[in-house]
Amino acid sequence: MMRADVVVVGSGIAGLSFALKAAKFGTVALITKKSRPESSTNWAQGGIAAVFGEDDSAALHMEDTLVAGAGLCHPDAVDVLVREGPERVRDLMDLGVRFTREQGDLSLGLEGGHSRRRIVRADDLTGREIERALLAAAAETGNVRVFENHQAVDLLTATDPGTLGERCCGVLVLDTETGEMIPFLARAVMLATGGCGQVYRHTTNPSIATGDGVAMAYRAGAKVANMEFIQFHPTALYPARERTFLISEAVRGEGAVLRRRDGSTFMDGYHPLASLAPRDVVARAIDREMKRTGDPHVLLDCSAIPEHEIRQRFPNILRETAERGTDMLREPLPVVPAAHYLCGGVLTDTHGRTSVPGLYAAGETACTGVHGANRLASNSLLEAVVFAHRASERLGPQLQVTRPLEPEQLSLPSGTGEVDGALLLRDREEITNVMWDLVGIVRSDERLAMAEARLRQISLHVNGMWADARPTVELVELRNLIQTALLVVRCAIQRKESRGLNYNVDHPYRDNEHCLADTIVVR
C-alpha cells in the first residue's frame, strides 16, 4: 500500500502542471501507465491560445470561444479561461518553455474560429516543448514521485465521518511490470488521463487515450457530461497509419486551402470563413464531399504559403509529410478527418472539483464547460493549465485539514485465468469499427440504436473476461474503452438535435427550447 497527500493520474500538461503546484502543499504521487513523455500534450502541434496581441482582448477571445461552443459553453468558465490564461502562459515561460519569438515578441499564429492572432507556439511542436519543460521541473521537485508503467484501475472511496457521504480516498493501481495490484491512498485524487480517441478506428490521439479517467470516475459515481461532443480533426494525413499524423489547423490559418481531388475548392459553399471555418463545419464538409464523390480523401493546398514560411513555421509537418511520401512545398497534402478531442468528460466546477468529494479532474478528462458543443482551436492546452492551477489553489489549504481515509472494504479483481489475446483484440477492433461506422461525424437515431445494442453485447463479454482473468494493461484499457464508448452513445441518444459536434440527420436543427443544456449522466 502506498500513501501520498495527493495522487495524480496522468502525465500530460494538466497532470504535470497540477502536480508541480500541489507539491507546494504536500507529497504527490504521479501515476502514468507508460513512459513520462507519452501523452496527448506531447503530440499537440498548433499552440496555446491566449491574449497577447495589442489588437486583442479577453472579451474577443471569450466571444470567439462562445461562438465555437454553439450555445453550450459555461460563461463563467470561459471568463476564467480568457482572463487567467495569459498569466498561466507566463508561468510556463517561467518554467523554461521556449515559445517562438519574432523580434523579441511572442510569435502569434492564427487558427480557425479566432478573430485575432493569439496562438502562442513553439514552432509546430508546442506540446512537446511544454511537456519537456514540465518534466524537467517535476524532476527537480522533491515532493513529486513519478510511477511509470503503473495503470490506474479504479478509484477508491470511503465514507467520510464528517458528512457520512462517499469521498474519494485513492486509486487502485496495476504495476504493469510485476502484475501486482497496489492501493495508492491519498487525501485527494486528480484525474488527468487525457481523452478517448482510441474508441474510434482513426484518431490523432496516442495509443494511451482510452478514456481511463472518464470510465473510472463514472464507475465511482461521478457526474459525466457532454460525451456526445467528439471533435474530429478535419485534416489528418491520408493514408492513416498506426500513428495518424494531423496537419495543424495553423496551416490553414497561414493560407492553405481545401480542395477536391479535381482541384476545385468547396469550403466556400459551406461557410463564410471557407477553409478557416470551425472544425465541426470543416469535418462535416469533408465527410460529405468524400461520400458524394467517392474519393478516399480531399486535398490541402499549401501553395499560397511562401516556402520560407513553411520551413520556418512548420518544420515538423514538412519533415513528417516528406517521410510519408508527400512534399508539401510542391504538391497538395491528402487529408481526411480523424477523431481528435473529447469536449465532454467528468463534470467539474471552475476549481476542478467533481461531484465526488476529494476527486478532481483537469485537461481533456474534464468537462469544465469551456468548450461547450465544440472546442475552439488551441483552447485545450490553455484550459489544462488554467484549471489545473485553480484546482491546486483550492486544494492546497484543504489538504492539512482533510482526514486521510481508508476504504472499508478493498475489493481487488479476483480473476486468475489468462487473458485470451485474440478475443481481446477482436473486441477492441469491433468497438472502434462500431463507433467509426455508427457514431462518427454524421449520426442517425437508427445508427445510434444499433451501436448501443452491439456495444452492450461487447460489454457483457468484456465484463466476463474481467471477472475471469488476471488484469493486464490491455484488459484494463478494453474495460475503459467499452465503458467510454457506451457513454458517448448514451449521451448522443439523449441529445435530440444537431449542435456543434453532434450532427444527427433525424434532428438536423438546434433546439434551444429543449436542448440548451449539458447532457449529464451518472451511474
Side-chain angles (χ1 to χ4, degrees), residues 176-430:
T176 63
E177 293 181 337
T178 67
E180 182 183 7
M181 300 292 288
I182 308 169
F184 278 69
L185 301 186
R187 290 180 168 90
V189 173
M190 165 59 80
L191 290 175
T193 60
C196 65
Q198 291 295 326
V199 300
Y200 284 96
R201 186 192 306 154
H202 301 301
T203 177
T204 64
N205 289 189
S207 62
I208 60 172
T210 50
D212 299 337
V214 173
M216 287 191 297
Y218 177 77
R219 289 194 294 266
K223 291 180 179 178
V224 173
N226 295 349
M227 295 294 291
E228 69 271 36
F229 297 120
I230 303 287
Q231 188 174 74
F232 287 78
H233 198 288
T235 52
L237 191 66
Y238 176 89
R241 297 182 179 177
E242 181 178 347
R243 184 175 73 84
T244 302
F245 185 74
L246 72 84
I247 309 300
S248 170
E249 195 158 352
V251 177
R252 283 179 284 130
E254 297 305 320
V257 175
L258 286 162
R259 300 182 183 275
R260 301 181 182 93
R261 291 182 74 192
D262 64 8
S264 60
T265 61
F266 60 88
M267 279 307 305
D268 49 352
Y270 289 93
H271 196 276
L273 293 176
S275 291
L276 278 175
R279 288 179 175 179
D280 61 321
V281 176
V282 179
R284 280 199 302 274
I286 294 174
D287 181 71
R288 183 173 180 181
E289 290 295 324
M290 288 167 55
K291 289 176 178 174
R292 186 183 65 81
T293 63
D295 290 339
H297 60 80
V298 296
L299 299 174
L300 184 64
D301 179 7
C302 306
S303 60
I305 310 175
E307 180 173 331
H308 73 273
E309 190 168 331
I310 291 178
R311 293 187 182 280
Q312 179 183 9
R313 297 185 76 93
F314 308 113
N316 180 59
I317 295 176
L318 179 62
R319 181 174 57 254
E320 184 75 24
T321 52
E323 289 178 358
R324 297 184 181 217
T326 304
D327 181 359
M328 67 184 291
L329 298 174
R330 307 285 179 261
E331 56 188 328
L333 298 172
V335 293
V336 293
H340 183 56
Y341 193 87
L342 171 63
C343 290
V346 185
L347 188 63
T348 72
D349 64 10
T350 55
H351 295 281
R353 295 177 297 188
T354 74
S355 60
V356 174
L359 179 63
Y360 294 74
E364 194 172 352
T365 306
C367 179
T368 63
V370 159
H371 304 310
N374 184 22
R375 175 179 69 98
L376 182 65
S378 288
N379 267 355
S380 52
L381 294 178
L382 188 69
E383 179 201 34
V385 290
V386 165
F387 291 97
H389 171 83
R390 289 174 66 85
S392 68
E393 292 294 297
R394 176 55 62 96
L395 170 67
Q398 296 179 342
L399 273 184
Q400 299 310 314
V401 297
T402 299
R403 176 182 174 182
L405 299 177
E406 295 192 14
E408 292 90 351
Q409 186 175 1
L410 190 59
S411 178
L412 299 176
S414 57
T416 59
E418 294 294 327
V419 175
D420 188 325
L423 293 180
L424 188 149
L425 180 61
R426 186 200 66 182
D427 282 348
R428 181 159 179 160
E429 289 181 346
E430 187 160 6

Side-chain angles (χ1 to χ4, degrees), residues 66-85:
L66 294 176
V67 168
L72 282 192
C73 297
H74 297 186
D76 60 335
V78 178
D79 181 63
V80 164
L81 180 87
V82 299
R83 282 191 299 102
E84 300 184 11

Side-chain angles (χ1 to χ4, degrees), residues 141-159:
T141 303
N143 255 7
V144 178
R145 185 178 176 188
V146 179
F147 293 84
E148 292 183 314
N149 301 308
H150 281 65
Q151 167 76 58
V153 176
D154 271 316
L155 296 172
L156 301 174
T157 59
T159 302

